[in-house]
């Protein structure tokens, strides 16, 4: 839970063959936060493989770090990405 009471959820969305990692933000009452990413959710394609977001960490500055994994029926890989407070991918992460 974030300092303002809002909730970030890590998961996946899409069809079984094309799952993509997803971050979704909810108000404390369960309503989507429309100002976060794309109407409350951000789908994060990671390469050409299926992907799942698995964990969330909140930084003191409000940015959101997420862990994910991908697989393409042959091998899997792990990934990490960071979102700005508005739910947009942070292009400076990993610099």
């Amino acid at each position: 839970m974030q300092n303002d009471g809002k909730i970030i959820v890590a998961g996946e969305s899409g069809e079984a063959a094309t799952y993509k990692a997803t971050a979704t933000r909810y108000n404390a009452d369960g309503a989507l936060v429309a100002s976060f990413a794309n109407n409350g959710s951000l789908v994060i394609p990671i390469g050409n493989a299926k992907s799942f977001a698995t964990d969330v960490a909140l930084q003191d500055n409000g940015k959101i770090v997420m862990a994910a994994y991908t697989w393409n029926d042959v091998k899997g890989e792990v990934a990490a990405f960071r979102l700005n407070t508005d739910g947009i991918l942070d292009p400076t992460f990993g610099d």
Side-chain angles (χ1 to χ4, degrees), residues 68-81:
Y69 69 94
T70 68
W71 83 95
N72 64 7
D73 298 329
V74 176
K75 68 175 186 167
E77 296 182 8
V78 295
F81 51 91

Side-chain angles (χ1 to χ4, degrees), residues 6-39:
K6 293 183 171 65
I7 303 161
I8 300 289
V9 176
E12 76 281 337
S13 60
E15 301 296 321
T18 60
Y19 285 134
K20 299 295 179 207
T22 304
T24 305
R25 187 175 191 212
Y26 295 94
N27 287 308
D29 66 1
L32 284 172
V33 177
S35 61
F36 183 81
N38 184 18
N39 263 348

Side-chain angles (χ1 to χ4, degrees), residues 40-93:
S41 288
L42 180 67
V43 176
I44 305 108
I46 304 170
N48 294 325
K50 298 177 243 182
S51 59
F52 292 82
T54 59
D55 205 359
V56 177
L58 302 174
Q59 295 183 306
D60 290 339
N61 62 3
K63 292 189 178 189
I64 304 154
V65 178
M66 300 186 81
Y69 69 94
T70 68
W71 83 95
N72 64 7
D73 298 329
V74 176
K75 68 175 186 167
E77 296 182 8
V78 295
F81 51 91
R82 183 169 63 191
L83 306 178
N84 291 313
T85 57
D86 60 0
I88 303 304
L89 281 172
D90 181 355
T92 66
F93 185 64

